[in-house]
mmCIF file with all atom_site columns, all heavy atoms in Angstrom:
data_model
loop_
_atom_site.group_PDB
_atom_site.id
_atom_site.type_symbol
_atom_site.label_atom_id
_atom_site.label_alt_id
_atom_site.label_comp_id
_atom_site.label_asym_id
_atom_site.label_entity_id
_atom_site.label_seq_id
_atom_site.pdbx_PDB_ins_code
_atom_site.Cartn_x
_atom_site.Cartn_y
_atom_site.Cartn_z
_atom_site.occupancy
_atom_site.B_iso_or_equiv
_atom_site.pdbx_formal_charge
_atom_site.auth_seq_id
_atom_site.auth_comp_id
_atom_site.auth_asym_id
_atom_site.auth_atom_id
_atom_site.pdbx_PDB_model_num
ATOM 1   N N   . CYS A 1 1  ? 0.799   -1.216  0.037   1.00 90.00 ? 9  CYS A N   1
ATOM 2   C CA  . CYS A 1 1  ? -0.020  -0.045  0.012   1.00 90.00 ? 9  CYS A CA  1
ATOM 3   C C   . CYS A 1 1  ? 0.867   1.185   0.013   1.00 90.00 ? 9  CYS A C   1
ATOM 4   O O   . CYS A 1 1  ? 0.559   2.235   -0.703  1.00 90.00 ? 9  CYS A O   1
ATOM 5   C CB  . CYS A 1 1  ? -0.941  0.015   1.185   1.00 90.00 ? 9  CYS A CB  1
ATOM 6   S SG  . CYS A 1 1  ? -2.227  -1.300  1.147   1.00 90.00 ? 9  CYS A SG  1
ATOM 7   N N   . LEU A 1 2  ? 1.950   1.269   0.767   1.00 90.00 ? 10 LEU A N   1
ATOM 8   C CA  . LEU A 1 2  ? 2.829   2.434   0.887   1.00 90.00 ? 10 LEU A CA  1
ATOM 9   C C   . LEU A 1 2  ? 3.526   2.621   -0.467  1.00 90.00 ? 10 LEU A C   1
ATOM 10  O O   . LEU A 1 2  ? 3.654   3.759   -0.990  1.00 90.00 ? 10 LEU A O   1
ATOM 11  C CB  . LEU A 1 2  ? 3.850   2.241   1.939   1.00 90.00 ? 10 LEU A CB  1
ATOM 12  C CG  . LEU A 1 2  ? 3.348   2.415   3.362   1.00 90.00 ? 10 LEU A CG  1
ATOM 13  C CD1 . LEU A 1 2  ? 4.437   2.059   4.375   1.00 90.00 ? 10 LEU A CD1 1
ATOM 14  C CD2 . LEU A 1 2  ? 2.999   3.879   3.694   1.00 90.00 ? 10 LEU A CD2 1
ATOM 15  N N   . LYS A 1 3  ? 3.969   1.536   -1.125  1.00 85.00 ? 11 LYS A N   1
ATOM 16  C CA  . LYS A 1 3  ? 4.627   1.661   -2.445  1.00 85.00 ? 11 LYS A CA  1
ATOM 17  C C   . LYS A 1 3  ? 3.784   2.079   -3.548  1.00 85.00 ? 11 LYS A C   1
ATOM 18  O O   . LYS A 1 3  ? 4.089   3.018   -4.381  1.00 85.00 ? 11 LYS A O   1
ATOM 19  C CB  . LYS A 1 3  ? 5.383   0.362   -2.792  1.00 85.00 ? 11 LYS A CB  1
ATOM 20  C CG  . LYS A 1 3  ? 6.376   0.516   -3.904  1.00 85.00 ? 11 LYS A CG  1
ATOM 21  C CD  . LYS A 1 3  ? 6.726   -0.828  -4.550  1.00 85.00 ? 11 LYS A CD  1
ATOM 22  C CE  . LYS A 1 3  ? 5.568   -1.313  -5.473  1.00 85.00 ? 11 LYS A CE  1
ATOM 23  N NZ  . LYS A 1 3  ? 6.004   -2.431  -6.337  1.00 85.00 ? 11 LYS A NZ  1
ATOM 24  N N   . GLU A 1 4  ? 2.574   1.417   -3.660  1.00 83.00 ? 12 GLU A N   1
ATOM 25  C CA  . GLU A 1 4  ? 1.702   1.631   -4.821  1.00 83.00 ? 12 GLU A CA  1
ATOM 26  C C   . GLU A 1 4  ? 0.737   2.772   -4.690  1.00 83.00 ? 12 GLU A C   1
ATOM 27  O O   . GLU A 1 4  ? 0.254   3.318   -5.612  1.00 83.00 ? 12 GLU A O   1
ATOM 28  C CB  . GLU A 1 4  ? 0.971   0.343   -5.122  1.00 83.00 ? 12 GLU A CB  1
ATOM 29  C CG  . GLU A 1 4  ? 1.931   -0.736  -5.557  1.00 83.00 ? 12 GLU A CG  1
ATOM 30  C CD  . GLU A 1 4  ? 1.242   -1.873  -6.238  1.00 83.00 ? 12 GLU A CD  1
ATOM 31  O OE1 . GLU A 1 4  ? 0.147   -1.685  -6.826  1.00 83.00 ? 12 GLU A OE1 1
ATOM 32  O OE2 . GLU A 1 4  ? 1.758   -3.012  -6.296  1.00 83.00 ? 12 GLU A OE2 1
ATOM 33  N N   . SER A 1 5  ? 0.455   3.175   -3.389  1.00 85.00 ? 13 SER A N   1
ATOM 34  C CA  . SER A 1 5  ? -0.507  4.272   -3.155  1.00 85.00 ? 13 SER A CA  1
ATOM 35  C C   . SER A 1 5  ? 0.286   5.488   -2.565  1.00 85.00 ? 13 SER A C   1
ATOM 36  O O   . SER A 1 5  ? 0.150   6.557   -3.004  1.00 85.00 ? 13 SER A O   1
ATOM 37  C CB  . SER A 1 5  ? -1.590  3.833   -2.241  1.00 85.00 ? 13 SER A CB  1
ATOM 38  O OG  . SER A 1 5  ? -2.377  4.938   -1.775  1.00 85.00 ? 13 SER A OG  1
ATOM 39  N N   . GLY A 1 6  ? 1.071   5.191   -1.524  1.00 85.00 ? 14 GLY A N   1
ATOM 40  C CA  . GLY A 1 6  ? 1.742   6.267   -0.753  1.00 85.00 ? 14 GLY A CA  1
ATOM 41  C C   . GLY A 1 6  ? 2.694   7.085   -1.608  1.00 85.00 ? 14 GLY A C   1
ATOM 42  O O   . GLY A 1 6  ? 2.741   8.327   -1.471  1.00 85.00 ? 14 GLY A O   1
ATOM 43  N N   . VAL A 1 7  ? 3.440   6.398   -2.426  1.00 79.00 ? 15 VAL A N   1
ATOM 44  C CA  . VAL A 1 7  ? 4.466   7.120   -3.246  1.00 79.00 ? 15 VAL A CA  1
ATOM 45  C C   . VAL A 1 7  ? 3.825   8.147   -4.221  1.00 79.00 ? 15 VAL A C   1
ATOM 46  O O   . VAL A 1 7  ? 4.225   9.354   -4.323  1.00 79.00 ? 15 VAL A O   1
ATOM 47  C CB  . VAL A 1 7  ? 5.338   6.093   -4.101  1.00 79.00 ? 15 VAL A CB  1
ATOM 48  C CG1 . VAL A 1 7  ? 6.259   6.823   -5.086  1.00 79.00 ? 15 VAL A CG1 1
ATOM 49  C CG2 . VAL A 1 7  ? 6.222   5.344   -3.150  1.00 79.00 ? 15 VAL A CG2 1
ATOM 50  N N   . THR A 1 8  ? 2.664   7.668   -4.909  1.00 76.00 ? 16 THR A N   1
ATOM 51  C CA  . THR A 1 8  ? 1.981   8.646   -5.806  1.00 76.00 ? 16 THR A CA  1
ATOM 52  C C   . THR A 1 8  ? 1.329   9.733   -5.054  1.00 76.00 ? 16 THR A C   1
ATOM 53  O O   . THR A 1 8  ? 1.320   10.933  -5.427  1.00 76.00 ? 16 THR A O   1
ATOM 54  C CB  . THR A 1 8  ? 0.979   7.944   -6.630  1.00 76.00 ? 16 THR A CB  1
ATOM 55  O OG1 . THR A 1 8  ? 0.051   7.189   -5.811  1.00 76.00 ? 16 THR A OG1 1
ATOM 56  C CG2 . THR A 1 8  ? 1.624   7.011   -7.603  1.00 76.00 ? 16 THR A CG2 1
ATOM 57  N N   . ALA A 1 9  ? 0.765   9.418   -3.876  1.00 79.00 ? 17 ALA A N   1
ATOM 58  C CA  . ALA A 1 9  ? 0.096   10.477  -3.019  1.00 79.00 ? 17 ALA A CA  1
ATOM 59  C C   . ALA A 1 9  ? 1.061   11.474  -2.529  1.00 79.00 ? 17 ALA A C   1
ATOM 60  O O   . ALA A 1 9  ? 0.784   12.628  -2.401  1.00 79.00 ? 17 ALA A O   1
ATOM 61  C CB  . ALA A 1 9  ? -0.644  9.780   -1.851  1.00 79.00 ? 17 ALA A CB  1
ATOM 62  N N   . PHE A 1 10 ? 2.324   11.042  -2.297  1.00 79.00 ? 18 PHE A N   1
ATOM 63  C CA  . PHE A 1 10 ? 3.349   11.889  -1.772  1.00 79.00 ? 18 PHE A CA  1
ATOM 64  C C   . PHE A 1 10 ? 3.566   13.101  -2.818  1.00 79.00 ? 18 PHE A C   1
ATOM 65  O O   . PHE A 1 10 ? 3.791   14.243  -2.357  1.00 79.00 ? 18 PHE A O   1
ATOM 66  C CB  . PHE A 1 10 ? 4.675   11.154  -1.637  1.00 79.00 ? 18 PHE A CB  1
ATOM 67  C CG  . PHE A 1 10 ? 5.781   11.967  -0.905  1.00 79.00 ? 18 PHE A CG  1
ATOM 68  C CD1 . PHE A 1 10 ? 5.950   12.059  0.421   1.00 79.00 ? 18 PHE A CD1 1
ATOM 69  C CD2 . PHE A 1 10 ? 6.677   12.637  -1.702  1.00 79.00 ? 18 PHE A CD2 1
ATOM 70  C CE1 . PHE A 1 10 ? 6.950   12.803  1.053   1.00 79.00 ? 18 PHE A CE1 1
ATOM 71  C CE2 . PHE A 1 10 ? 7.719   13.385  -1.196  1.00 79.00 ? 18 PHE A CE2 1
ATOM 72  C CZ  . PHE A 1 10 ? 7.804   13.480  0.187   1.00 79.00 ? 18 PHE A CZ  1
ATOM 73  N N   . PHE A 1 11 ? 3.510   12.794  -4.045  1.00 66.00 ? 19 PHE A N   1
ATOM 74  C CA  . PHE A 1 11 ? 3.794   13.844  -5.009  1.00 66.00 ? 19 PHE A CA  1
ATOM 75  C C   . PHE A 1 11 ? 2.546   14.563  -5.470  1.00 66.00 ? 19 PHE A C   1
ATOM 76  O O   . PHE A 1 11 ? 2.618   15.799  -5.792  1.00 66.00 ? 19 PHE A O   1
ATOM 77  C CB  . PHE A 1 11 ? 4.491   13.187  -6.319  1.00 66.00 ? 19 PHE A CB  1
ATOM 78  C CG  . PHE A 1 11 ? 5.902   12.731  -5.945  1.00 66.00 ? 19 PHE A CG  1
ATOM 79  C CD1 . PHE A 1 11 ? 6.170   11.405  -5.746  1.00 66.00 ? 19 PHE A CD1 1
ATOM 80  C CD2 . PHE A 1 11 ? 6.957   13.636  -5.816  1.00 66.00 ? 19 PHE A CD2 1
ATOM 81  C CE1 . PHE A 1 11 ? 7.432   10.924  -5.419  1.00 66.00 ? 19 PHE A CE1 1
ATOM 82  C CE2 . PHE A 1 11 ? 8.222   13.159  -5.412  1.00 66.00 ? 19 PHE A CE2 1
ATOM 83  C CZ  . PHE A 1 11 ? 8.459   11.900  -5.297  1.00 66.00 ? 19 PHE A CZ  1
ATOM 84  N N   . THR A 1 12 ? 1.344   13.922  -5.468  1.00 67.00 ? 20 THR A N   1
ATOM 85  C CA  . THR A 1 12 ? 0.130   14.672  -5.859  1.00 67.00 ? 20 THR A CA  1
ATOM 86  C C   . THR A 1 12 ? -0.345  15.535  -4.750  1.00 67.00 ? 20 THR A C   1
ATOM 87  O O   . THR A 1 12 ? -0.924  16.616  -4.995  1.00 67.00 ? 20 THR A O   1
ATOM 88  C CB  . THR A 1 12 ? -1.038  13.688  -6.269  1.00 67.00 ? 20 THR A CB  1
ATOM 89  O OG1 . THR A 1 12 ? -1.302  12.872  -5.138  1.00 67.00 ? 20 THR A OG1 1
ATOM 90  C CG2 . THR A 1 12 ? -0.568  12.844  -7.404  1.00 67.00 ? 20 THR A CG2 1
ATOM 91  N N   . ARG A 1 13 ? -0.061  15.170  -3.436  1.00 68.00 ? 21 ARG A N   1
ATOM 92  C CA  . ARG A 1 13 ? -0.423  15.912  -2.309  1.00 68.00 ? 21 ARG A CA  1
ATOM 93  C C   . ARG A 1 13 ? -1.907  16.121  -2.223  1.00 68.00 ? 21 ARG A C   1
ATOM 94  O O   . ARG A 1 13 ? -2.438  17.147  -1.630  1.00 68.00 ? 21 ARG A O   1
ATOM 95  C CB  . ARG A 1 13 ? 0.323   17.317  -2.219  1.00 68.00 ? 21 ARG A CB  1
ATOM 96  C CG  . ARG A 1 13 ? 1.843   17.147  -2.117  1.00 68.00 ? 21 ARG A CG  1
ATOM 97  C CD  . ARG A 1 13 ? 2.482   18.526  -2.275  1.00 68.00 ? 21 ARG A CD  1
ATOM 98  N NE  . ARG A 1 13 ? 2.300   19.344  -1.075  1.00 68.00 ? 21 ARG A NE  1
ATOM 99  C CZ  . ARG A 1 13 ? 1.934   20.609  -1.158  1.00 68.00 ? 21 ARG A CZ  1
ATOM 100 N NH1 . ARG A 1 13 ? 1.702   21.192  -2.326  1.00 68.00 ? 21 ARG A NH1 1
ATOM 101 N NH2 . ARG A 1 13 ? 1.774   21.307  -0.025  1.00 68.00 ? 21 ARG A NH2 1
ATOM 102 N N   . SER A 1 14 ? -2.717  15.152  -2.749  1.00 68.00 ? 22 SER A N   1
ATOM 103 C CA  . SER A 1 14 ? -4.170  15.252  -2.682  1.00 68.00 ? 22 SER A CA  1
ATOM 104 C C   . SER A 1 14 ? -4.708  13.812  -2.589  1.00 68.00 ? 22 SER A C   1
ATOM 105 O O   . SER A 1 14 ? -4.544  13.027  -3.495  1.00 68.00 ? 22 SER A O   1
ATOM 106 C CB  . SER A 1 14 ? -4.693  15.971  -3.965  1.00 68.00 ? 22 SER A CB  1
ATOM 107 O OG  . SER A 1 14 ? -6.088  15.817  -3.997  1.00 68.00 ? 22 SER A OG  1
ATOM 108 N N   . SER A 1 15 ? -5.467  13.606  -1.465  1.00 73.00 ? 23 SER A N   1
ATOM 109 C CA  . SER A 1 15 ? -6.097  12.255  -1.321  1.00 73.00 ? 23 SER A CA  1
ATOM 110 C C   . SER A 1 15 ? -7.176  12.025  -2.421  1.00 73.00 ? 23 SER A C   1
ATOM 111 O O   . SER A 1 15 ? -7.304  10.966  -2.887  1.00 73.00 ? 23 SER A O   1
ATOM 112 C CB  . SER A 1 15 ? -6.772  12.225  0.054   1.00 73.00 ? 23 SER A CB  1
ATOM 113 O OG  . SER A 1 15 ? -5.821  12.265  1.114   1.00 73.00 ? 23 SER A OG  1
ATOM 114 N N   . ALA A 1 16 ? -7.827  13.102  -2.845  1.00 66.00 ? 24 ALA A N   1
ATOM 115 C CA  . ALA A 1 16 ? -8.818  12.997  -3.852  1.00 66.00 ? 24 ALA A CA  1
ATOM 116 C C   . ALA A 1 16 ? -8.237  12.568  -5.236  1.00 66.00 ? 24 ALA A C   1
ATOM 117 O O   . ALA A 1 16 ? -8.766  11.726  -5.887  1.00 66.00 ? 24 ALA A O   1
ATOM 118 C CB  . ALA A 1 16 ? -9.627  14.276  -3.992  1.00 66.00 ? 24 ALA A CB  1
ATOM 119 N N   . ALA A 1 17 ? -7.043  13.195  -5.488  1.00 66.00 ? 25 ALA A N   1
ATOM 120 C CA  . ALA A 1 17 ? -6.382  12.834  -6.767  1.00 66.00 ? 25 ALA A CA  1
ATOM 121 C C   . ALA A 1 17 ? -5.796  11.448  -6.760  1.00 66.00 ? 25 ALA A C   1
ATOM 122 O O   . ALA A 1 17 ? -5.630  10.880  -7.870  1.00 66.00 ? 25 ALA A O   1
ATOM 123 C CB  . ALA A 1 17 ? -5.274  13.859  -7.015  1.00 66.00 ? 25 ALA A CB  1
ATOM 124 N N   . ASN A 1 18 ? -5.626  10.858  -5.600  1.00 77.00 ? 26 ASN A N   1
ATOM 125 C CA  . ASN A 1 18 ? -5.057  9.519   -5.477  1.00 77.00 ? 26 ASN A CA  1
ATOM 126 C C   . ASN A 1 18 ? -6.096  8.459   -5.449  1.00 77.00 ? 26 ASN A C   1
ATOM 127 O O   . ASN A 1 18 ? -5.792  7.195   -5.412  1.00 77.00 ? 26 ASN A O   1
ATOM 128 C CB  . ASN A 1 18 ? -4.167  9.494   -4.226  1.00 77.00 ? 26 ASN A CB  1
ATOM 129 C CG  . ASN A 1 18 ? -3.126  8.483   -4.404  1.00 77.00 ? 26 ASN A CG  1
ATOM 130 O OD1 . ASN A 1 18 ? -2.319  8.503   -5.400  1.00 77.00 ? 26 ASN A OD1 1
ATOM 131 N ND2 . ASN A 1 18 ? -2.897  7.527   -3.469  1.00 77.00 ? 26 ASN A ND2 1
ATOM 132 N N   . ILE A 1 19 ? -7.418  8.796   -5.547  1.00 77.00 ? 27 ILE A N   1
ATOM 133 C CA  . ILE A 1 19 ? -8.483  7.869   -5.477  1.00 77.00 ? 27 ILE A CA  1
ATOM 134 C C   . ILE A 1 19 ? -8.334  6.837   -6.633  1.00 77.00 ? 27 ILE A C   1
ATOM 135 O O   . ILE A 1 19 ? -8.474  5.605   -6.353  1.00 77.00 ? 27 ILE A O   1
ATOM 136 C CB  . ILE A 1 19 ? -9.858  8.546   -5.519  1.00 77.00 ? 27 ILE A CB  1
ATOM 137 C CG1 . ILE A 1 19 ? -10.123 9.173   -4.088  1.00 77.00 ? 27 ILE A CG1 1
ATOM 138 C CG2 . ILE A 1 19 ? -10.985 7.503   -5.780  1.00 77.00 ? 27 ILE A CG2 1
ATOM 139 C CD1 . ILE A 1 19 ? -11.411 10.002  -4.029  1.00 77.00 ? 27 ILE A CD1 1
ATOM 140 N N   . PRO A 1 20 ? -8.087  7.220   -7.890  1.00 76.00 ? 28 PRO A N   1
ATOM 141 C CA  . PRO A 1 20 ? -8.001  6.211   -8.925  1.00 76.00 ? 28 PRO A CA  1
ATOM 142 C C   . PRO A 1 20 ? -6.901  5.228   -8.718  1.00 76.00 ? 28 PRO A C   1
ATOM 143 O O   . PRO A 1 20 ? -6.979  4.025   -8.967  1.00 76.00 ? 28 PRO A O   1
ATOM 144 C CB  . PRO A 1 20 ? -7.749  7.017   -10.182 1.00 76.00 ? 28 PRO A CB  1
ATOM 145 C CG  . PRO A 1 20 ? -8.254  8.399   -9.928  1.00 76.00 ? 28 PRO A CG  1
ATOM 146 C CD  . PRO A 1 20 ? -8.065  8.528   -8.382  1.00 76.00 ? 28 PRO A CD  1
ATOM 147 N N   . VAL A 1 21 ? -5.755  5.719   -8.150  1.00 80.00 ? 29 VAL A N   1
ATOM 148 C CA  . VAL A 1 21 ? -4.640  4.827   -7.804  1.00 80.00 ? 29 VAL A CA  1
ATOM 149 C C   . VAL A 1 21 ? -5.039  3.738   -6.836  1.00 80.00 ? 29 VAL A C   1
ATOM 150 O O   . VAL A 1 21 ? -4.756  2.608   -6.918  1.00 80.00 ? 29 VAL A O   1
ATOM 151 C CB  . VAL A 1 21 ? -3.441  5.617   -7.275  1.00 80.00 ? 29 VAL A CB  1
ATOM 152 C CG1 . VAL A 1 21 ? -2.296  4.743   -6.843  1.00 80.00 ? 29 VAL A CG1 1
ATOM 153 C CG2 . VAL A 1 21 ? -2.944  6.647   -8.338  1.00 80.00 ? 29 VAL A CG2 1
ATOM 154 N N   . ASN A 1 22 ? -5.734  4.231   -5.761  1.00 83.00 ? 30 ASN A N   1
ATOM 155 C CA  . ASN A 1 22 ? -6.215  3.286   -4.705  1.00 83.00 ? 30 ASN A CA  1
ATOM 156 C C   . ASN A 1 22 ? -7.254  2.344   -5.209  1.00 83.00 ? 30 ASN A C   1
ATOM 157 O O   . ASN A 1 22 ? -7.316  1.129   -4.843  1.00 83.00 ? 30 ASN A O   1
ATOM 158 C CB  . ASN A 1 22 ? -6.821  4.088   -3.569  1.00 83.00 ? 30 ASN A CB  1
ATOM 159 C CG  . ASN A 1 22 ? -5.806  4.671   -2.598  1.00 83.00 ? 30 ASN A CG  1
ATOM 160 O OD1 . ASN A 1 22 ? -4.622  4.321   -2.690  1.00 83.00 ? 30 ASN A OD1 1
ATOM 161 N ND2 . ASN A 1 22 ? -6.235  5.594   -1.768  1.00 83.00 ? 30 ASN A ND2 1
ATOM 162 N N   . MET A 1 23 ? -8.113  2.818   -6.159  1.00 80.00 ? 31 MET A N   1
ATOM 163 C CA  . MET A 1 23 ? -9.110  1.919   -6.785  1.00 80.00 ? 31 MET A CA  1
ATOM 164 C C   . MET A 1 23 ? -8.428  0.762   -7.528  1.00 80.00 ? 31 MET A C   1
ATOM 165 O O   . MET A 1 23 ? -8.848  -0.404  -7.456  1.00 80.00 ? 31 MET A O   1
ATOM 166 C CB  . MET A 1 23 ? -10.032 2.668   -7.728  1.00 80.00 ? 31 MET A CB  1
ATOM 167 C CG  . MET A 1 23 ? -10.967 3.711   -7.040  1.00 80.00 ? 31 MET A CG  1
ATOM 168 S SD  . MET A 1 23 ? -12.381 2.889   -6.303  1.00 80.00 ? 31 MET A SD  1
ATOM 169 C CE  . MET A 1 23 ? -13.425 4.325   -6.109  1.00 80.00 ? 31 MET A CE  1
ATOM 170 N N   . ALA A 1 24 ? -7.375  1.141   -8.341  1.00 81.00 ? 32 ALA A N   1
ATOM 171 C CA  . ALA A 1 24 ? -6.643  0.150   -9.129  1.00 81.00 ? 32 ALA A CA  1
ATOM 172 C C   . ALA A 1 24 ? -6.010  -0.891  -8.200  1.00 81.00 ? 32 ALA A C   1
ATOM 173 O O   . ALA A 1 24 ? -5.911  -2.050  -8.493  1.00 81.00 ? 32 ALA A O   1
ATOM 174 C CB  . ALA A 1 24 ? -5.632  0.879   -10.039 1.00 81.00 ? 32 ALA A CB  1
ATOM 175 N N   . LEU A 1 25 ? -5.418  -0.384  -7.083  1.00 85.00 ? 33 LEU A N   1
ATOM 176 C CA  . LEU A 1 25 ? -4.700  -1.259  -6.087  1.00 85.00 ? 33 LEU A CA  1
ATOM 177 C C   . LEU A 1 25 ? -5.761  -2.175  -5.452  1.00 85.00 ? 33 LEU A C   1
ATOM 178 O O   . LEU A 1 25 ? -5.501  -3.454  -5.268  1.00 85.00 ? 33 LEU A O   1
ATOM 179 C CB  . LEU A 1 25 ? -4.038  -0.428  -5.107  1.00 85.00 ? 33 LEU A CB  1
ATOM 180 C CG  . LEU A 1 25 ? -3.270  -1.209  -4.036  1.00 85.00 ? 33 LEU A CG  1
ATOM 181 C CD1 . LEU A 1 25 ? -2.305  -2.226  -4.533  1.00 85.00 ? 33 LEU A CD1 1
ATOM 182 C CD2 . LEU A 1 25 ? -2.526  -0.339  -3.039  1.00 85.00 ? 33 LEU A CD2 1
ATOM 183 N N   . ALA A 1 26 ? -6.913  -1.661  -5.060  1.00 85.00 ? 34 ALA A N   1
ATOM 184 C CA  . ALA A 1 26 ? -7.927  -2.493  -4.513  1.00 85.00 ? 34 ALA A CA  1
ATOM 185 C C   . ALA A 1 26 ? -8.409  -3.565  -5.456  1.00 85.00 ? 34 ALA A C   1
ATOM 186 O O   . ALA A 1 26 ? -8.606  -4.722  -5.032  1.00 85.00 ? 34 ALA A O   1
ATOM 187 C CB  . ALA A 1 26 ? -9.190  -1.649  -4.043  1.00 85.00 ? 34 ALA A CB  1
ATOM 188 N N   . GLU A 1 27 ? -8.533  -3.208  -6.768  1.00 81.00 ? 35 GLU A N   1
ATOM 189 C CA  . GLU A 1 27 ? -8.861  -4.220  -7.764  1.00 81.00 ? 35 GLU A CA  1
ATOM 190 C C   . GLU A 1 27 ? -7.726  -5.264  -7.902  1.00 81.00 ? 35 GLU A C   1
ATOM 191 O O   . GLU A 1 27 ? -8.027  -6.487  -7.988  1.00 81.00 ? 35 GLU A O   1
ATOM 192 C CB  . GLU A 1 27 ? -9.085  -3.547  -9.091  1.00 81.00 ? 35 GLU A CB  1
ATOM 193 C CG  . GLU A 1 27 ? -9.593  -4.517  -10.163 1.00 81.00 ? 35 GLU A CG  1
ATOM 194 C CD  . GLU A 1 27 ? -9.852  -3.809  -11.440 1.00 81.00 ? 35 GLU A CD  1
ATOM 195 O OE1 . GLU A 1 27 ? -9.618  -2.499  -11.573 1.00 81.00 ? 35 GLU A OE1 1
ATOM 196 O OE2 . GLU A 1 27 ? -10.295 -4.465  -12.439 1.00 81.00 ? 35 GLU A OE2 1
ATOM 197 N N   . LYS A 1 28 ? -6.536  -4.923  -7.783  1.00 85.00 ? 36 LYS A N   1
ATOM 198 C CA  . LYS A 1 28 ? -5.408  -5.798  -7.873  1.00 85.00 ? 36 LYS A CA  1
ATOM 199 C C   . LYS A 1 28 ? -5.382  -6.802  -6.616  1.00 85.00 ? 36 LYS A C   1
ATOM 200 O O   . LYS A 1 28 ? -4.974  -7.929  -6.847  1.00 85.00 ? 36 LYS A O   1
ATOM 201 C CB  . LYS A 1 28 ? -4.121  -4.983  -7.908  1.00 85.00 ? 36 LYS A CB  1
ATOM 202 C CG  . LYS A 1 28 ? -2.795  -5.813  -8.034  1.00 85.00 ? 36 LYS A CG  1
ATOM 203 C CD  . LYS A 1 28 ? -1.558  -4.858  -8.081  1.00 85.00 ? 36 LYS A CD  1
ATOM 204 C CE  . LYS A 1 28 ? -0.322  -5.742  -8.179  1.00 85.00 ? 36 LYS A CE  1
ATOM 205 N NZ  . LYS A 1 28 ? 0.842   -4.857  -8.179  1.00 85.00 ? 36 LYS A NZ  1
ATOM 206 N N   . LEU A 1 29 ? -5.864  -6.219  -5.518  1.00 85.00 ? 37 LEU A N   1
ATOM 207 C CA  . LEU A 1 29 ? -5.893  -7.061  -4.311  1.00 85.00 ? 37 LEU A CA  1
ATOM 208 C C   . LEU A 1 29 ? -7.183  -7.916  -4.324  1.00 85.00 ? 37 LEU A C   1
ATOM 209 O O   . LEU A 1 29 ? -7.424  -8.679  -3.296  1.00 85.00 ? 37 LEU A O   1
ATOM 210 C CB  . LEU A 1 29 ? -5.899  -6.191  -3.117  1.00 85.00 ? 37 LEU A CB  1
ATOM 211 C CG  . LEU A 1 29 ? -4.555  -5.417  -2.776  1.00 85.00 ? 37 LEU A CG  1
ATOM 212 C CD1 . LEU A 1 29 ? -4.767  -4.416  -1.644  1.00 85.00 ? 37 LEU A CD1 1
ATOM 213 C CD2 . LEU A 1 29 ? -3.485  -6.364  -2.490  1.00 85.00 ? 37 LEU A CD2 1
ATOM 214 N N   . ARG A 1 30 ? -7.944  -7.851  -5.322  1.00 84.00 ? 38 ARG A N   1
ATOM 215 C CA  . ARG A 1 30 ? -9.222  -8.600  -5.496  1.00 84.00 ? 38 ARG A CA  1
ATOM 216 C C   . ARG A 1 30 ? -10.288 -8.273  -4.368  1.00 84.00 ? 38 ARG A C   1
ATOM 217 O O   . ARG A 1 30 ? -10.985 -9.179  -3.932  1.00 84.00 ? 38 ARG A O   1
ATOM 218 C CB  . ARG A 1 30 ? -8.926  -10.154 -5.591  1.00 84.00 ? 38 ARG A CB  1
ATOM 219 C CG  . ARG A 1 30 ? -8.153  -10.441 -6.834  1.00 84.00 ? 38 ARG A CG  1
ATOM 220 C CD  . ARG A 1 30 ? -8.218  -11.968 -7.091  1.00 84.00 ? 38 ARG A CD  1
ATOM 221 N NE  . ARG A 1 30 ? -7.449  -12.651 -6.041  1.00 84.00 ? 38 ARG A NE  1
ATOM 222 C CZ  . ARG A 1 30 ? -7.445  -13.979 -6.015  1.00 84.00 ? 38 ARG A CZ  1
ATOM 223 N NH1 . ARG A 1 30 ? -8.131  -14.687 -6.875  1.00 84.00 ? 38 ARG A NH1 1
ATOM 224 N NH2 . ARG A 1 30 ? -6.774  -14.648 -5.034  1.00 84.00 ? 38 ARG A NH2 1
#
């Protein structure tokens, strides 16, 4: 979660902007 979500969120600085990244990770985790 830190690598695939946290790293992108660190640079976007917006939880809302990181929602698609989290959705993709959740799908990957089935």
Side-chain angles (χ1 to χ4, degrees):
C9 293
L10 284 171
K11 191 198 79 167
E12 299 198 20
S13 171
V15 171
T16 54
F18 185 89
F19 292 103
T20 61
R21 297 171 73 228
S22 169
S23 296
N26 211 48
I27 287 174
V29 177
N30 281 347
M31 293 280 199
L33 178 55
E35 186 178 2
K36 182 178 177 181
L37 294 171
R38 293 195 292 174

